[in-house]
Amino acid sequence: MSETQRRSNFSGDRAVSYGSVGATQAADVLVFPPAGFRSAQSEFRLGSGQERFDTATAALMTWGVPKGSHLEVVSVNEAHSEGYNGLLFNEFGAPVPPTADALDQLFAPDGTPYLSAGTTVELAKLWSPSELTTSHRVIYVVREDRRMGYALGTLDYEPVIGEEFFSVEWRDDDSVWSVVRSVTAIAEGRKYFYLSPLIRLRQWLQRRQYVRSLLPARTA
């Protein structure tokens, strides 16, 4: 399967809390983020070879990033697949008809189903020591022969809104990398204006955790 496959679902009981849905898939978003947003990308080498890629992607697609980053997955609500085909885009960002392969449910070696577009997840400890929990939706999923990942979009309006894309890449030199790309904005209001430097620092530190979360020692 060589074509980039991204599945998106914007229906459900709650809408995402930002307007630039899917922004993390734009090739130039690191240079030209949406107005009012900041973009950033972090990456970390996980090893090399297909075995490392397969192991890392299995962890990635079964919530390995939050679990390996010391976050708590409070709840997961699967998307309703009946009648839902999602949206697919090719490598140029153009929409294409869904294929049977794109809609197939994939599983990790232990039988755990891979996450899918439209799934919502509630996370705790993201803003520790605050007890705040945050809600997110899987906006799209990417399936390629040498890259796999998904984007999470915020459902809450504070303290941060936007989208983050988590992926594993098996590059031409045989190296395997964890990559995190974010396009986010800090909530409006005087409180968040003064807290914005601390929030951006926390985001930077969290991205460092994210890209290291799929190391073998953390996914064992």
Side-chain angles (χ1 to χ4, degrees), residues 37-200:
F37 286 70
R38 289 190 184 183
S39 57
Q41 181 167 301
S42 299
E43 55 184 49
F44 188 81
R45 182 169 178 169
L46 301 173
S48 60
Q50 183 168 3
E51 183 178 355
R52 180 86 283 271
F53 174 73
D54 291 342
T55 301
T57 54
L60 170 73
M61 302 304 289
T62 54
W63 304 108
V65 169
K67 293 176 181 177
S69 302
H70 311 295
L71 304 184
E72 180 183 350
V73 179
V74 178
S75 65
V76 175
N77 295 311
E78 300 293 339
H80 296 292
S81 59
E82 184 177 355
Y84 167 63
N85 291 328
L87 299 176
L88 295 179
F89 301 84
N90 63 20
E91 63 269 29
F92 304 107
V96 296
T99 63
D101 286 345
L103 303 178
D104 284 346
Q105 175 66 65
L106 300 182
F107 296 87
D110 65 358
T112 303
Y114 280 13
L115 58 84
S116 58
T119 297
T120 58
V121 60
E122 187 175 6
L123 300 175
K125 300 182 180 180
L126 182 59
W127 300 101
S128 179
S130 169
E131 296 183 358
L132 178 70
T133 61
T134 56
S135 299
H136 311 261
R137 175 167 296 130
V138 179
I139 301 300
Y140 62 85
V141 170
V142 172
R143 292 187 194 174
E144 296 176 2
D145 291 337
R146 301 177 73 97
R147 185 176 71 136
M148 189 169 290
Y150 64 93
L152 278 186
T154 58
L155 301 181
D156 305 305
Y157 287 85
E158 55 182 355
V160 167
I161 62 173
E163 193 173 289
E164 289 184 298
F165 175 57
F166 308 91
S167 65
V168 173
E169 300 178 1
W170 181 17
R171 297 179 178 173
D172 292 340
D173 64 357
D174 202 40
S175 62
V176 177
W177 292 78
S178 173
V179 181
V180 176
R181 174 182 293 183
S182 64
V183 180
T184 60
I186 296 175
E188 297 179 354
R190 179 175 297 180
K191 177 177 73 172
Y192 293 112
F193 174 80
Y194 290 115
L195 289 175
S196 60
L198 293 177
I199 293 175
R200 290 298 183 191

